[in-house]
């Protein structure tokens, strides 16, 4: 297992390039199961989660050729309809094969994902949605067994706006007979990207980008090419890094991103005192002299993303005054708090609300990564902490950030990956 060793206190400046969106890739890749043939996905990030999805699809008979950030997926010879526990336990997004398999092949056996380090994450909405489309679903021995002859269009109102359930049910509905209406559908850019890819494949989807989707089922789809959207969470992480570890007068430009997807984060950064300039495909940030405390409440898109909550907490740890962070999406997502406290932060958590009393400085320490975004917050805190920090178990980070240490080093950070068994 690798660790990162960070010597804090270096000021960040320069330009950094964002990769393709992890969460979009994890939906686009299984969508290829819906149409036999060779699909090409551009701007696919090289990440552990993308590799996990590749292995899962390959176990079903799909072949995948990688060249830089382009992947060619040949889904002509799918012969196995199972997503085993070994894959799903590594990555919950494996559940995305459920909708395509049952729609195209009439059967799927997918392991239930179970909980996360930071709490339960149910899949009831995926199952209820597919049942409404006519799939027969049983749960047995930790597996979802789904079968269907031909799915039928239905009207579905999601109780909770869910990215995964919207994606899964939408992928199933594109091959159903008749029209499906999805209300309270997720509007996250990754779902929009998935819908656009499905349209390229011949699907008929109306209302893309809204929470009301109408899907006219078609008999078959064809392979397609698609350029993935930029990763808004990676971009947001670098912007917060710059606000935290930059210096007034020095700028960081985050390029190859979609500024419109980042409005909630860039607005909050302005509230915190940063100067933010939005370009067509970049955001430039100049940090404030002194970080102002700014409350955030996570919500569905286009609100503040739960995937940026931990990074925002690292920023608020050094703000002047007290701030409050409320996570309304995942109530237990605070595994980073004890680790940030080890670095000197002053944070208390009650239910889903964290109160952060800004401190003048953080001090380097050994801290443990517990999940993807928690790890990112520890890296950010390490960049600005006095002395040396070690962030252990960085495999979590490799799930969602491609070469984060190289990208941050190019901005002037002193961060090294050290490989070794004992970490
Ligand atoms: C996706 C993202 C994840 C992000 C999350 C919220 C991917 C691969 N992952 O996860 O990074 O943090 O969106 O933006 O895209 N819920 C139910 N029943 C369900 C499904 C969800 O109650 O069947 C609840 C969840 O507990 C949560 C809320 O719905 O409170 C939103 O979760 P959801 O949008 O489904 O998250 P994921 O798709 O798992």
């Amino acid at each position: 297992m690798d660790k990162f060793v960070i010597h804090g206190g270096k000021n960040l400046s320069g330009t950094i390039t964002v990769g393709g969106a992890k969460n979009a890739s994890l939906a686009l890749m299984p969508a290829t199961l819906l149409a036999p043939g060779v699909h090409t996905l551009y701007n696919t990030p090289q990440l552990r989660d993308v590799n996990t999805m590749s292995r899962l699809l390959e176990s079903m008979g799909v072949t995948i050729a990688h060249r830089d950030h382009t992947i060619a997926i040949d889904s002509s010879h799918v012969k196995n309809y199972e997503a085993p526990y070994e894959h799903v336990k590594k990555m919950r997004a494996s559940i995305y094969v459920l909708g395509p398999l049952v729609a195209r092949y009439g059967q799927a056996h997918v392991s239930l994902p179970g909980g996360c380090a930071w709490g339960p994450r149910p899949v009831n909405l995926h199952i209820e949605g597919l049942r409404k489309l006519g799939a027969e679903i049983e749960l047995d021995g930790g597996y979802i067994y789904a079968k269907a002859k031909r799915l039928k269009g239905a009207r579905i109102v999601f109780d909770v706006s869910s990215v995964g359930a919207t994606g899964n049910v939408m992928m199933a509905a594109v091959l159903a007979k008749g029209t499906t209406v999805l209300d309270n559908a997720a509007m996250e850019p990754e779902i929009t990207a998935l819908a656009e890819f499905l349209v390229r494949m011949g699907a008929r989807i109306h209302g893309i980008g809204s929470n009301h989707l109408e899907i006219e089922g078609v008999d078959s789809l064809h392979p397609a090419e698609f350029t993935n959207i930029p990763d808004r969470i990676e971009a947001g992480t670098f912007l917060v890094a710059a606000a935290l570890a930059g210096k007034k007068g020095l700028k960081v430009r985050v390029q190859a991103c979609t500024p419109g997807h980042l409005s909630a984060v860039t607005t909050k950064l302005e509230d915190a005192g940063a100067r933010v300039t939005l370009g067509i495909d970049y955001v430039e940030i100049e940090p404030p002299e002194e970080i102002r405390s700014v409350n955030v409440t996570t919500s569905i898109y286009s609100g503040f993303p739960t995937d940026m909550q931990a990074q925002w907490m690292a920023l608020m740890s050094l703000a002047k005054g007290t701030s409050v962070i409320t996570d309304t999406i995942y109530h237990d997502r605070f595994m980073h708090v004890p680790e940030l406290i080890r670095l000197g932060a002053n944070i208390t958590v009650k239910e889903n609300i964290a109160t952060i009393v800004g401190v003048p400085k953080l001090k380097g320490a050994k801290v443990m990564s517990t999940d993807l975004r928690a790890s990112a917050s520890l890296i950010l805190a390490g960049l600005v902490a006095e002395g040396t920090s070690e962030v252990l178990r960085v495999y979590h980070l490799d799930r969602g950030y491609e070469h984060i240490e190289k990208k941050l080093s190019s901005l002037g950070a002193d961060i090294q990956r050290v490989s070794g068994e004992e970490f």
Side-chain angles (χ1 to χ4, degrees):
M1 263 187 257
D2 295 355
K3 67 178 178 184
F4 283 139
V5 178
I6 307 168
H7 299 289
K10 305 284 185 293
N11 291 315
L12 305 186
S13 66
T15 299
I16 202 162
T17 303
V18 170
K22 170 182 84 77
N23 286 349
S25 285
L26 296 180
L28 298 171
M29 294 170 73
T32 63
L33 293 169
L34 288 163
V38 181
H39 305 253
T40 308
L41 298 175
Y42 303 102
N43 202 25
T44 303
Q46 293 172 351
L47 299 169
R48 264 169 58 106
D49 273 7
V50 168
N51 288 340
T52 303
M53 183 58 83
S54 296
R55 297 295 89 79
L56 172 59
L57 294 175
E58 283 166 352
S59 76
M60 294 173 179
V62 168
T63 53
I64 304 182
H66 295 255
R67 194 163 52 83
D68 297 327
H69 291 97
T70 299
I71 55 173
I73 303 186
D74 185 349
S75 57
S76 308
H77 305 290
V78 175
K79 52 184 187 313
N80 173 18
Y81 313 113
E82 182 177 350
Y85 181 59
E86 295 72 68
H87 287 288
V88 182
K89 74 171 187 212
K90 280 192 206 143
M91 187 183 69
R92 290 176 45 84
S94 308
I95 187 101
Y96 269 139
V97 299
L98 179 63
L101 283 177
V102 76
R104 167 94 178 88
Y105 297 98
Q107 53 178 311
H109 311 157
V110 178
S111 169
L112 281 163
C116 252
W118 36 272
R121 292 174 71 185
V123 289
N124 57 310
L125 300 171
H126 302 237
I127 293 171
E128 284 163 22
L130 293 172
R131 277 193 177 133
K132 283 226 160 152
L133 295 179
E136 285 172 37
I137 299 186
E138 282 176 26
L139 304 183
D140 189 31
Y143 273 75
I144 304 167
Y145 290 88
K147 48 181 198 197
K149 285 215 169 65
R150 169 120 192 237
L151 297 175
K152 287 195 192 67
R155 192 184 163 85
I156 296 165
V157 183
F158 291 110
D159 285 343
V160 176
S161 174
S162 159
V163 174
T166 303
N168 231 338
V169 176
M170 177 166 65
M171 285 191 275
V174 291
L175 285 180
K177 190 169 171 55
T179 300
T180 298
V181 177
L182 302 183
D183 268 311
N184 198 22
M187 296 182 286
E188 271 66 8
E190 295 74 23
I191 289 296
T192 298
L194 172 63
E196 284 169 354
F197 179 47
L198 294 170
V199 168
R200 292 273 180 91
M201 290 164 69
R204 297 206 191 117
I205 306 175
H206 310 282
I208 293 175
S210 78
N211 64 356
H212 174 89
L213 297 172
E214 291 193 14
I215 303 159
E216 290 171 60
V218 294
D219 291 339
S220 64
L221 297 167
H222 51 77
E225 297 190 352
F226 191 74
T227 301
N228 188 17
I229 57 170
D231 196 309
R232 63 196 168 102
I233 305 301
E234 187 194 11
T237 301
F238 291 137
L239 290 171
V240 173
L244 194 55
K247 190 174 165 196
K248 194 166 170 58
L250 294 179
K251 289 180 182 164
V252 168
R253 180 182 283 218
V254 176
Q255 68 181 13
C257 65
T258 305
H261 292 170
L262 286 158
S263 301
V265 175
T266 51
T267 309
K268 290 290 181 184
L269 283 166
E270 284 177 329
D271 293 347
R275 281 172 69 143
V276 177
T277 311
L278 306 180
I280 291 175
D281 66 346
Y282 69 86
V283 178
E284 202 166 67
I285 180 164
E286 186 187 330
E289 186 82 58
E290 184 174 70
I291 302 162
R292 294 200 286 260
S293 53
V294 178
N295 300 342
V296 304
T297 299
T298 65
S299 70
I300 58 170
Y301 187 78
S302 54
F304 194 91
T306 175
D307 286 351
M308 283 299 300
Q309 181 257 100
Q311 300 88 314
W312 193 259
M313 200 177 291
L315 180 67
M316 288 302 107
S317 295
L318 285 177
K320 188 172 165 53
T322 301
S323 55
V324 173
I325 297 180
T326 308
D327 200 323
T328 68
I329 308 290
Y330 293 116
H331 292 191
D332 298 334
R333 197 176 193 178
F334 291 111
M335 298 285 283
H336 42 287
V337 170
E339 302 303 306
L340 288 172
I341 289 173
R342 287 173 60 74
L343 293 165
N346 180 349
I347 306 169
T348 46
V349 177
K350 198 157 176 243
E351 290 163 2
N352 64 331
I353 301 171
T355 304
I356 305 112
V357 180
V359 294
K361 63 179 185 194
L362 298 176
K363 233 173 138 226
K366 269 192 186 179
V367 288
M368 187 76 80
S369 294
T370 49
D371 68 68
L372 172 55
R373 306 305 170 186
S375 318
S377 80
L378 300 179
I379 300 273
L380 301 195
L383 292 177
V384 77
E386 244 177 32
T388 304
S389 296
E390 291 189 11
V391 181
L392 312 183
R393 298 205 182 151
V394 298
Y395 60 87
H396 290 292
L397 242 122
D398 295 334
R399 293 185 55 188
Y401 293 90
E402 187 177 321
H403 302 311
I404 193 169
E405 72 279 25
K406 288 190 187 148
K407 291 190 182 183
L408 288 170
S409 298
S410 77
L411 294 180
D414 185 343
I415 171 169
Q416 270 141 26
R417 180 185 291 263
V418 180
S419 301
E421 280 301 307
E422 70 275 28
F423 316 131

